């Protein structure tokens, strides 16, 4: 019996301030701190406080039959274990861990989110389906925000990305 590949939550690292939708917002914290200092020094009449973002709620049915495809194919580098690259617009490097790389390799525009999740279940048998769904979809949505993938509404025929 083949040994199961170790699962770690899919992540992307970059030198930009991009963060996942559930992470704390460093800009909100910075603005709130500056607002507090300006208020203390009587440079503004009232303290500026930005509210904390609500957690994102995603309806799986909205994505189940979307076909994610990696954008900017010439910018990606695959060393066999991990994917990395340099974003074509920002010129910032990005690095994707092994679990995220497995997911990204499946984003060819030929498989729906549902099909990708079924493949992930075969790779990480011992990982709960809800965890794979939550982590995988959150990861892909982060990559979409970074303009590294796009969700298309139909299968892309004959595409090799």
């Amino acid at each position: 019996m083949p040994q199961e590949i170790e699962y770690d939550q899919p992540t992307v690292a970059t030198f930009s301030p991009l963060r996942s939708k559930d992470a704390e917002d460093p800009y909100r914290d910075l603005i709130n701190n500056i607002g507090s200092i300006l208020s203390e020094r009587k440079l503004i009449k009232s303290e500026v406080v930005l509210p904390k973002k609500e957690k994102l709620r995603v309806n799986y049915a909205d994505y189940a039959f979307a076909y994610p495809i990696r954008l900017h194919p010439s910018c990606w580098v695959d060393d066999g274990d991990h994917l990395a690259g340099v974003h074509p617009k920002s010129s910032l490097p990005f690095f994707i861990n092994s679990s995220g790389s497995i997911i990204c390799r499946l984003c060819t525009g030929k498989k729906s989110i549902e099909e990708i999740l079924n493949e992930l279940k075969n790779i990480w048998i011992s990982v709960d389906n809800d965890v794979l769904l939550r982590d995988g979809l959150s990861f892909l949505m982060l990559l979409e925000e970074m303009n590294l993938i796009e969700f298309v509404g139909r299968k892309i025929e004959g595409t090799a990305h």
Side-chain angles (χ1 to χ4, degrees), residues 1 3 6 32 44 75 90-91 99 104-105 127 149 157:
M1 180 176 179
Q3 186 174 356
E6 183 178 341
N32 288 345
I44 59 176
C75 297
S90 66
S91 297
S99 296
C104 284
R105 286 185 194 101
V127 178
I149 71 155
E157 299 295 334

Side-chain angles (χ1 to χ4, degrees), residues 18-124:
L18 295 171
R19 295 179 166 274
S20 75
K21 293 175 180 161
D22 293 329
E24 290 300 314
D25 185 351
Y27 298 114
R28 178 184 53 88
D29 294 342
L30 179 63
I31 289 170
N32 288 345
N33 290 339
I34 291 171
S36 178
I37 290 168
L38 292 175
S39 177
E40 286 174 14
R41 294 186 180 180
K42 311 274 189 254
L43 297 172
I44 59 176
K45 290 183 180 183
S46 61
E47 187 174 334
V48 175
V49 177
L50 297 178
K52 190 173 182 175
K53 290 182 186 177
E54 292 290 319
K55 282 198 171 188
L56 178 68
R57 303 226 186 275
V58 176
N59 182 3
Y60 174 67
D62 292 341
Y63 287 89
F65 299 104
Y67 291 80
I69 187 168
R70 283 192 281 160
L71 299 175
H72 324 294
S74 63
C75 297
W76 294 76
V77 177
D78 190 340
D79 72 2
D81 289 326
H82 301 90
L83 290 170
V86 176
H87 196 281
K89 292 183 180 170
S90 66
S91 297
L92 290 169
F94 60 90
F95 308 92
I96 299 177
N97 71 351
S98 59
S99 296
S101 294
I102 289 170
I103 293 170
C104 284
R105 286 185 194 101
L106 296 171
C107 294
T108 62
K110 295 181 179 184
K111 296 177 185 196
S112 68
I113 294 291
E114 186 173 88
E115 292 168 321
I116 289 171
L117 286 171
N118 285 331
E119 286 200 34
L120 298 179
K121 290 174 193 176
N122 291 329
I123 294 170
W124 294 298

